[in-house]
Amino acid sequence: DGCDGALDFGACASEGGVSCVNHSCIEAEPAAKMWRLVCESGTSSRWWVKDIEFHTEALCFRAYEAFERSMSSGGYSAESPLINAFDGREATVWGSACNRCEPGEAWLGVDFGVQVRVACVKLVQSDRTANRCSRLSLEYSDNAAKWLHSSRFGFGTHVLKSSEALTSDIDTRLDDRELLPSERAAPFWRLVCGAELAVSWGVFELELFDDAACSGALRPMLKRVMEPVASTWPAKNAFDGEASTL
């Protein structure tokens, strides 16, 4: 570049499993016997997982299936055992023991029995928003007593969908602000009357759904009902399931 002298990029390649790639220090993925995926957001209902795969390469091309046992925070019933999440079939599901799980309460993972590096987790959750976890963390351990953090997902501008390939860069690589408005997810939704009315707008019931077939009701997920500036009757009447209230 026309400059004299040498540039010192440090000695990152020689310390702690860190390598130098394109003049940047890249820390190697940790290796451990046990890996788990923890629901950090909590859930509005029971957490349902159709399938989960742990991969040793970031492309999520082929799952590392040589694990000794699967583990979880507890299951819902004998009809939805933990093995359902590891059988490679999306027709079967595992359900968490907790309903309306607290953040960090529900998790599932595997014990490989040997040191393994996990670079990608392929996760298929329920199609219903209320039964999905929106924020997750990947943790590892050698004794199941002390778990260490590896990566987290869903903390950026990308909202995790029912099927995702979870890599450490997903929160920076994907940006939902680039999506069309009809494809985006958001925490706040409202219905606006665009017409000029001679009398007050009256609504008996308003139900929101997460699918075009109107089968996945979002009412169990409501945190609060937002009131308009001026209202004769409380806005919560439109979400109480009673057609007789206005």
Side-chain angles (χ1 to χ4, degrees):
D1 57 5
C3 298
D4 295 329
L7 296 177
D8 183 5
F9 293 103
C12 62
S14 63
E15 301 178 8
V18 178
S19 59
C20 190
V21 179
N22 293 329
H23 308 305
S24 298
C25 292
I26 306 299
E27 187 173 354
E29 293 290 338
K33 295 179 180 179
M34 303 175 191
W35 290 82
R36 70 177 184 179
L37 205 58
V38 182
C39 179
E40 295 289 0
S41 62
T43 60
S44 300
S45 187
R46 201 175 306 281
W47 188 23
W48 292 106
V49 176
K50 295 182 178 181
D51 200 55
I52 183 172
E53 295 178 350
F54 292 87
H55 294 248
T56 57
E57 33 72 38
L59 295 177
C60 262
F61 180 70
R62 181 176 297 174
Y64 192 90
E65 299 176 339
F67 57 87
E68 292 186 349
R69 63 187 176 101
S70 55
M71 307 179 296
S72 79
S73 55
Y76 170 54
S77 70
E79 286 72 35
S80 56
L82 180 58
I83 192 61
N84 284 358
F86 298 90
D87 62 4
R89 300 169 55 211
E90 295 184 16
T92 60
V93 296
W94 168 80
S96 63
C98 53
N99 190 23
R100 293 182 177 270
C101 304
E102 294 294 326
E105 182 179 2
W107 58 269
L108 72 165
V110 293
D111 179 1
F112 290 105
V114 295
Q115 297 283 320
V116 172
R117 285 188 173 89
V118 172
C120 178
V121 179
K122 186 175 290 185
L123 177 68
V124 183
Q125 303 185 76
S126 171
D127 297 326
R128 298 286 175 255
T129 306
N131 299 110
R132 291 205 301 262
C133 184
S134 60
R135 289 182 172 181
L136 299 149
S137 66
L138 180 64
E139 298 180 347
Y140 61 95
S141 175
D142 280 329
N143 54 21
K146 180 180 180 181
W147 292 89
L148 301 176
H149 170 79
S150 174
S151 305
R152 65 179 191 168
F153 322 101
F155 289 82
T157 58
H158 173 63
V159 178
L160 298 180
K161 297 178 175 58
S162 58
S163 181
E164 292 278 5
L166 304 172
T167 55
S168 60
D169 64 342
I170 190 171
D171 284 351
T172 56
R173 179 169 45 84
L174 300 179
D175 189 344
D176 285 6
R177 291 174 296 186
E178 300 174 356
L179 298 176
L180 295 173
S182 60
E183 299 174 336
R184 294 184 61 177
F188 299 97
W189 290 85
R190 69 178 185 178
L191 194 64
V192 180
C193 177
E196 184 176 347
L197 302 177
V199 295
S200 298
W201 184 26
V203 177
F204 287 101
E205 276 299 302
L206 177 61
E207 186 83 63
L208 304 177
F209 298 86
D210 63 3
D211 65 324
C214 285
S215 60
L218 293 172
R219 181 170 292 170
M221 298 186 66
L222 291 181
K223 299 297 184 183
R224 65 185 177 95
V225 177
M226 295 180 291
E227 297 276 357
V229 176
S231 177
T232 305
W233 299 280
K236 65 180 182 180
N237 286 358
F239 298 92
D240 62 3
E242 297 289 339
S244 59
T245 58
L246 183 64

